[in-house]
Each structure stands twice: as structure tokens, then as C-alpha cells.
Amino acid sequence: MGLLSLGTPLQWYESRPHNEHVRQNGIQQLLYIFRAAHGRKDDPLLWGDEIEYMACKFDDRQNTAVLAIDDDDVLTELNIEDKGLCDAQNVSFHPEYGRFMIEATPARPFTGVDLQYVEENMASRREVAERKLGARGIELLSLAVFPRMGCEGFTDVRQVWSSHNSASRSLYLPDQVINRHARFPTLTANIRTRRGEKVCINVPMFQDEHTPKSDDTVYQRDWFTPEDLEAPLAAKPGFIYMDSMGFGMGCSCLQLTFQAPTIDKARYLYDALVNFAPILLAATAASPAFKGWLADQDVRWNVISSAVDDRTPYERSVAPLLPEHNNAHGHSTKPIPQRIPKSRYSAVDLYLGGNAFFDRKFNDADVPINEGALQELQTNSLFPMDYDLARHFSHLFIRDPLVLFQELIDQDNKHSTDHFENIQSTNWQTLRFKPPTQAATPDNKTAPGWRVEFRPMEIHLTDFENAAYANFIYLIVECILKFSNEIDNYVPMSQVWQNMELAHHRDAVLRERFYWKSSFTAEGTGKYTFAEIFHHPAFGIFPQFIDRILKDKKWVSSSWTELKNSSDPAQVRLFYYLKLVHDRATGVLPTTANFLREYITTHPSYKKDSRLTAEINYEMLKMASRVTHLDDSKDEVSNFFGSEIASYLLKSSS
Ligand code: ADP
Ligand code: MG
Ligand code: MG
Ligand code: MG
Ligand code: MG
Ligand code: MG
């Protein structure tokens, strides 16, 4: 999230008449960007991560763990009073959707391979924020999902229902969980209004011996008509029912952004990473419970996808829940409304092409496009784009802008990117192709160049784990860019979408087979286990990407395992990063989702009813906090990481 625009956000009905204006000018802004920046060359491999934290409060007398939603002024303090400290530590804090959330990034991007510094910087971020929050009795946890979000008493504010939650109209989440900046409640309300119903999230409930037939937290209320009538129709037996944007955008993830040397390499990198996304989603699974229930899935992705799904019933090809109340048909401003198969938060839709390995047949999924945008992008006089790139952007431009600020309606397209970013930044896909700005001319190296963002991964409790996954992807990216004439990672898009489905399954790393290339020098895919995808000599990630780039650096002669005996402590640490990724992907160590699920189901007070009680939640999050701070007093660090990694970690941290 960049700087938040200030101004007056328009409600949906005021904003809607400007939809076409935003799209048309957004396209012009994009064309000016391309005209300015298409010729950039030799941009260095700068990169950076984003980590999202949740502010949690423990009450050790009541035995409760809750989200702190009234201390968001800390973020302002970090950005103003502590600016000097943050600059000195090279850390930067950003607002996120939840009032209980903080996002942190390095203030300046990393330069190339900087293994140890990545984790050091993550640790500085945690330290700076913890010092602030600790003084208020708040702990900062990097949890993928707060497992009792939406249950009674899940925040530290007593009277949360004293005002009605008119933005979300949720039965469970008060509007006080939403960031105070007007953009966020407006985003929430506008998604709901455009859809013509509250958002609807049904997550399969884990089925245990005494699990109830349906989510018994669904209740009757009469604050809002028709929204309060929806739940009995929207909730499905056997599923956990959630009804608000916050359930999704209140989840945390680990994102990475990489700069490529040229636009063509950025396109190539994007395409090569497409099928890594579902694999790394499954590999980093950390979300076993939602709204106080154990889920029969391990990741957050489809929860966010549904939580921001602004499509009308017509666009989704379903009947409205309450036909007599739903006028969402009228929400499309297009003469002929389109059917739209996927939420604006979903897997990548189209390869960008532009290299010798690409063939249009790989874009084999059903992806609607904005025909007018496609025409304009290809035939304009500023910078006519090739068909494949134009198709990508014209797909993003099927969406309506969700929040428009009154003061920003009219812009100078030669210098502003606001309308483009309005559409671009609300297409939340597994990867994002990030164009620079109009200032990014080839000679202006102070402006960032063409970047690719890797967005599927779940966040982890410790800096060590987050640094491990960040460095793992970094090495893959470096390898892809270095051997770009040799690596062909095109998998039919429809197979990538199937992988995305599979990645949600409980213990997918152990139980599922995913589509993966059978060779990176020829066409063709097979369905493989995680052990094969990570280790097969011919097509495994470790031999084909990690060992290859490590050999190229002359850090090893044949395998990453040699790093263990390196004389360079940074390389030894890299060994343990890679070992963690390896051990989790092959079932030697549990995923975070598996570990937390085990914790719940083996807790003495668990009743085999899939319920995550306040008591279990408290004890589990206390445990999570000990793991976060590498406190092994109850052997939890050793159980979580296995004895070899744990003893290395404990030794190196002391
Ligand atoms: P967003 O929320 O839009 O993805 P953020 O600003 O939160 O963007 O995060 C962007 C990440 O990209 C940060 O980690 C930042 O350090 C990194 N970054 C900044 N400049 C560059 C660059 N030129 N190339 C690659 N990464 C960069
Ligand atoms: Mg961000
Ligand atoms: Mg963002
Ligand atoms: Mg306060
Ligand atoms: Mg974020
Ligand atoms: Mg991001």
C-alpha cells in the first residue's frame, strides 16, 4: 500500500457515473508510462518484502487473547515521531485494512543477494514496532489469520456494537475493525453496494465426531434490510459462514517485489513465476481456523477472494439471494453486462508473453476482457502495445473503480497514475506486474523500473521463516533472470487454476498432486507430488533453480546441502532457510497450518466439535508468541522446527 490519497471518497452511487472516465484516463496514464519507460535497460535486481502483523492483547487473568483495535495511533507515531529512527533502521510502516494491522517493509529495497540482511531488517521492524506497542501491553504477532475473528469478544473494545456497522453490515465484524482512513470503510461499503448483497464467504468446516451440521453462530438481527435477511440463505450446511470484507483483508501475508532489468525480462519473470504461486501457497499454509471454527482447508486465499468479490449476481451467473431486494443488475454501467468467472482477488488470469517460449495456447482459461481498452491499447498513437500485453491490461480494466476521491477525478495523465492505479491496485492477483511511473525514463535511475510482485504466500510467526521464504523466492528469481534463455515454465493457465484449488486442501503438500513442468526445456506437464516438485533431478525446484544458481555463484559444487559446512555464517543460515522450506514441503516438518491444527485437536479441552474456544485460542496464541520469540521453555520451538533447525536457531540467537 503506497501513500493513502487524502480527500473525499465518493459513495458508490456518486462514484459510478465516473467509472468510464477513470478507465479511459487510466489507460491514457498507462500509455504515457509505457512511452516514458519502455526503453529502460540494466535496472538492478532490487527487491523487498512486505510483512503484515496483528496487534494482539493477552489478558492473563481472564485467559483471553484479542485483537487490539484502538491503538492504531501507533502507526501515526511510527511515521512521524519515529521517522528518524525508522530511516536509520531502514524500516517503514504502512496502514493496512484492519485497524489492528500494521504492514512493514524495508524503507529502501534490498540490493541483490543480501541474505542475512533480509532477516536483520525484518527483526528491526519487529523491534521498532514492538517497543512502541509493548509499552501499551500489546504484542505484535505475524499470524496469517486471527482464528477467532468475528467471535464474541474478539477485540479489546467492549462496546463494539454501540454504533451499527453501516459500512460492512456484517453480523460479526463491527466497523471499528476497519482502518479509520475513509478509503477503507468506503471500499467496504462500495463492494457491498455494487454486489447488491453482503459478500459471502463459505469455508468448508472440518468434520470431527461432534461437529454441528452447520455454523450455529448465524443469528437473526433487524438493523439492516435486506442485508440482515441474507444469512439464512447465504450460509450453507457444513460450512463456516462469514459476511464481511474484514474476514479476508484482515488476513496477513508475505509479499515480495522484484525489479527486472527491462520490461521484456519483467514479463518473462512474471510468466515464469505463475505456476510457482499455487505451489508456494500450499507450501506456506498457515490458516487452519476461521471465526472460531476449524476449517477443512489450510490457507486464507479463497477467503479473501470472496471477501472482496464485488461482482453482481448476473456477473457471477447466479440468482440473487433476495430477488425482490436486489437491484445489482443496474450496477453495471456497461451497455451489455459481462459474465465474470472470477473475483477481482484471484489467481493470475493471463500470461504476458513476449518471449520465444510463449505460445497463446497457454492462455487457455475463460478470461473476459474490456474490448474497448484492448483496441485503444493496441492502436493508440502514444505507445501501441502488442496483443498479449494489451490483453492483460484489458482484462484488469473489466473492473470498476471501487473508491474514487472527489478531488482526484480530473488528473493530468502525463504525470499522474492515480486512475491507472485505482484499477490496477484493486486487481488482487497471485502476481502483480508493476509498471513504473511516467518519471521512469531510461536515464532516470532514481525512479523504480519494471517490477513483479509475488503475492500468494502466507505469513509466518518468526522472522527466520519469513526470511527463509523470501530468500528462497529471491534465489528462484535470480535463477530465472540469469538463465532466461533456457527456462521454459509455461503450464496451461487452466492447470494453474486447478493447482490453486488444490493448494487450499488440508495438508495439500502431503496429499495432492499438482500440475508441474516435466522439463524446463520442453513443453509438457505432469501431475506430481510435492516431493517430486521440490526434488526431482529433472524438474525439481531444488536441483533446477536453487542448486543451479548456487553453483553459478560458486557457493556449492553440486548441492545446496554443502552450505551447511560453509565458513560464511550467512551461507550456513541459508542452509537452514532452505532446509526449513525443504522439510516442510516434504512432510519432515509440519506446515504452520498443520502444527496449529494439531495444537487445537489435541488440546485437553477440545471436544471434537471443530470449535476453537476462547480458552484454546488464548493458549495457542501464547504458544505462538513464545515461538515468535524463540522461547523454547516448553519445547515448542523444537517441536515446530524439528531439533536440528531449532538447536541452530536457539544457539545463533543467544
Ligand atoms: P505494494 O503494497 O503496492 O505492493 P509496498 O510499497 O508496500 O507496495 O511494497 C513494495 C516493496 O517493494 C517493498 O518491500 C519495497 O522495499 C520494494 N521496492 C521498492 N522499490 C523497489 C524497486 N525499485 N524494485 C524492487 N522492489 C522495490
Ligand atoms: Mg504494501
Ligand atoms: Mg498493497
Ligand atoms: Mg487507545
Ligand atoms: Mg499489505
Ligand atoms: Mg504488496
Side-chain angles (χ1 to χ4, degrees):
M1 177 75 48
L3 284 177
L4 293 171
S5 310
L6 294 168
T8 321
L10 300 182
Q11 300 306 306
W12 176 249
Y13 291 106
E14 305 162 337
S15 157
R16 197 174 62 173
H18 304 289
N19 287 351
E20 205 43 43
H21 169 87
V22 170
R23 274 189 291 264
Q24 280 174 5
N25 287 280
I27 294 284
Q28 294 310 309
Q29 293 173 1
L30 180 64
L31 293 172
Y32 278 111
I33 292 170
F34 268 82
R35 196 176 68 161
H38 74 276
R40 284 178 77 101
K41 282 201 178 59
D42 303 323
D43 280 334
L45 178 44
L46 302 181
W47 66 293
D49 69 284
E50 299 161 67
I51 287 185
E52 293 165 345
Y53 309 93
M54 299 189 190
C56 297
K57 234 181 218 170
F58 291 97
D59 182 333
D60 295 326
R61 276 170 309 184
Q62 307 284 331
N63 291 0
T64 55
V66 299
L67 285 173
I69 58 170
D70 204 19
D71 288 273
D72 48 331
D73 53 312
V74 159
L75 189 61
T76 318
E77 287 184 18
L78 285 167
N79 275 290
I80 298 173
E81 291 159 35
D82 296 331
K83 177 141 196 336
L85 174 69
C86 290
D87 285 347
Q89 303 273 339
N90 190 24
V91 300
S92 172
F93 295 94
H94 317 272
E96 252 303 333
Y97 180 84
R99 211 175 277 185
F100 54 89
M101 296 171 86
I102 294 183
E103 182 187 285
T105 63
R108 297 175 296 280
F110 309 129
T111 44
V113 64
D114 207 352
L115 296 166
Q116 216 167 359
Y117 182 64
V118 174
E119 188 178 346
E120 281 167 21
N121 187 272
M122 287 176 179
S124 300
R125 284 176 242 168
R126 202 184 278 276
E127 222 175 272
V128 169
E130 266 185 347
R131 200 176 312 156
K132 252 338 327 146
L133 287 163
R136 302 182 184 204
I138 294 170
E139 280 207 38
L140 208 56
L141 292 180
S142 37
L143 286 170
V145 51
F146 188 81
R148 273 179 61 85
M149 188 168 187
C151 297
E152 208 181 314
F154 78 100
T155 77
D156 62 338
V157 172
R158 294 265 161 268
Q159 305 290 331
V160 279
W161 298 113
S162 58
S163 59
H164 292 181
N165 50 352
S166 61
S168 75
R169 306 195 175 174
S170 168
L171 293 177
Y172 309 103
L173 299 188
D175 281 354
Q176 290 97 313
V177 302
I178 307 172
N179 190 306
R180 255 174 257 269
H181 189 288
R183 176 184 146 80
F184 295 96
T186 308
L187 188 56
T188 310
N190 288 4
I191 286 175
R192 176 177 49 70
T193 314
R194 186 186 188 285
R195 179 179 167 95
E197 296 169 354
K198 285 191 293 182
V199 294
C200 168
I201 308 153
N202 277 302
V203 170
M205 193 180 282
F206 176 69
Q207 296 299 310
D208 210 338
E209 265 172 58
H210 306 300
T211 305
K213 288 228 161 13
S214 43
D215 181 344
D216 56 17
T217 64
V218 175
Y219 70 98
Q220 296 286 323
R221 188 179 71 180
D222 61 356
W223 293 353
F224 303 106
T225 305
E227 288 84 359
D228 283 346
L229 304 171
E230 290 170 9
L233 303 165
K236 295 198 289 183
F239 288 79
I240 307 162
Y241 171 65
M242 294 172 276
D243 64 349
S244 177
M245 182 169 174
F247 282 109
M249 285 298 182
C251 292
S252 293
C253 64
L254 170 64
Q255 297 176 340
L256 306 170
T257 297
F258 300 94
Q259 180 167 276
T262 62
I263 180 174
D264 287 345
K265 293 272 181 167
R267 291 171 71 168
Y268 170 77
L269 174 62
Y270 180 99
D271 284 4
L273 287 174
V274 164
N275 199 35
F276 276 92
I279 299 302
L280 268 294
L281 173 62
T284 57
S287 308
F290 296 90
K291 211 188 73 172
W293 296 100
L294 273 173
D296 197 16
Q297 70 177 46
D298 275 352
V299 298
R300 76 198 189 289
W301 189 269
N302 61 1
V303 174
I304 318 182
S305 184
S306 303
V308 295
D309 190 353
D310 69 326
R311 292 172 303 158
T312 64
Y314 178 88
E315 287 166 341
R316 282 179 286 132
S317 303
V318 298
L321 288 174
L322 298 159
E324 66 277 22
H325 290 288
N326 194 304
N327 63 352
H329 243 60
H331 286 313
S332 176
T333 45
K334 304 186 190 94
I336 312 160
Q338 262 173 318
R339 304 283 186 182
I340 304 180
K342 276 161 81 228
S343 162
R344 53 201 296 160
Y345 192 111
S346 67
V348 157
D349 289 284
L350 292 164
Y351 288 109
L352 304 180
N355 66 76
F357 298 120
F358 174 70
D359 188 309
R360 275 184 199 149
K361 71 182 177 202
F362 297 124
N363 278 330
D364 66 339
D366 175 12
V367 178
I369 53 167
N370 177 332
E371 292 286 351
L374 183 67
Q375 279 298 317
E376 173 65 10
L377 289 166
Q378 292 178 276
T379 58
N380 68 85
S381 55
L382 279 172
F383 187 88
M385 268 183 213
D386 63 86
Y387 170 79
D388 300 300
L389 202 54
R391 192 172 170 207
H392 162 76
F393 287 111
S394 69
H395 169 62
L396 305 188
F397 275 74
I398 63 168
R399 309 288 175 176
D400 284 341
L402 290 172
V403 181
L404 181 59
F405 289 87
Q406 176 72 53
E407 295 79 359
L408 296 176
I409 294 174
D410 292 313
Q411 293 177 19
D412 170 4
N413 292 339
K414 288 196 179 93
H415 299 102
S416 168
T417 59
D418 253 62
H419 288 324
F420 167 66
E421 286 295 339
N422 193 327
I423 302 292
Q424 156 98 338
S425 71
T426 53
N427 270 275
W428 296 279
Q429 304 194 343
T430 39
L431 303 178
R432 183 173 286 157
F433 181 62
K434 290 178 165 176
T437 66
Q438 298 90 333
T441 49
D443 51 335
N444 179 12
K445 291 289 186 183
T446 58
W450 300 93
R451 287 143 303 146
V452 175
E453 184 180 16
F454 190 72
R455 304 164 47 85
M457 295 195 288
E458 307 235 305
I459 199 81
H460 286 85
L461 292 173
T462 62
D463 299 326
F464 173 77
E465 294 162 277
N466 292 319
Y469 287 102
N471 277 314
F472 180 69
I473 300 298
Y474 170 81
L475 289 173
I476 291 170
V477 166
E478 200 188 327
C479 182
I480 290 170
L481 290 174
K482 176 98 195 190
F483 299 101
S484 54
N485 298 323
E486 298 169 34
I487 299 170
D488 166 1
N489 194 18
Y490 283 105
V491 171
M493 190 59 77
S494 56
Q495 295 183 358
V496 178
W497 286 13
Q498 291 176 59
N499 282 349
M500 237 6 232
E501 292 282 330
L502 293 168
H504 283 77
H505 293 183
R506 189 155 46 85
D507 288 328
V509 294
L510 302 178
R511 298 173 178 214
E512 303 297 348
R513 285 170 180 271
F514 291 78
Y515 288 104
W516 190 251
K517 283 301 291 280
S518 306
S519 154
F520 293 105
T521 52
E523 253 183 56
T525 61
K527 282 197 100 173
Y528 300 110
T529 64
F530 252 61
E532 290 168 317
I533 291 170
F534 277 72
H535 294 296
H536 194 285
F539 55 77
I541 298 173
F542 274 82
Q544 291 295 320
F545 293 87
I546 302 297
D547 289 343
R548 188 172 188 175
I549 192 71
L550 294 178
K551 279 190 278 189
D552 186 70
K553 290 178 182 300
K554 308 217 173 351
W555 289 4
V556 303
S557 62
S558 65
S559 157
W560 62 280
T561 53
E562 297 161 37
L563 293 169
K564 188 177 178 181
N565 301 314
S566 168
S567 55
D568 177 353
Q571 291 188 8
V572 176
R573 200 160 189 88
L574 175 60
F575 166 77
Y576 286 101
Y577 290 154
L578 294 172
K579 181 171 166 55
L580 176 82
V581 175
H582 163 278
D583 286 359
R584 285 213 178 128
T586 48
V588 174
L589 286 177
T591 61
T592 302
N594 181 295
F595 187 76
L596 295 177
R597 182 184 296 282
E598 270 297 297
Y599 186 92
I600 296 166
T601 54
T602 58
H603 191 280
S605 78
Y606 175 67
K607 303 233 165 33
K608 296 191 187 300
D609 55 0
S610 308
R611 288 179 208 273
L612 173 62
T613 61
E615 177 197 357
I616 303 178
N617 182 61
Y618 166 74
E619 291 179 18
M620 181 170 83
L621 296 188
K622 287 296 263 193
M623 180 275 288
S625 162
R626 285 189 294 273
V627 169
T628 300
H629 298 102
L630 299 182
D631 167 357
D632 201 32
S633 56
K634 297 180 194 281
D635 291 334
E636 290 146 343
V637 176
S638 301
N639 292 334
F640 187 49
F641 288 114
S643 55
E644 189 182 342
I645 296 176
S647 61
Y648 164 76
L649 268 181
L650 295 167
K651 216 181 302 158
S652 69
S653 77
S654 64

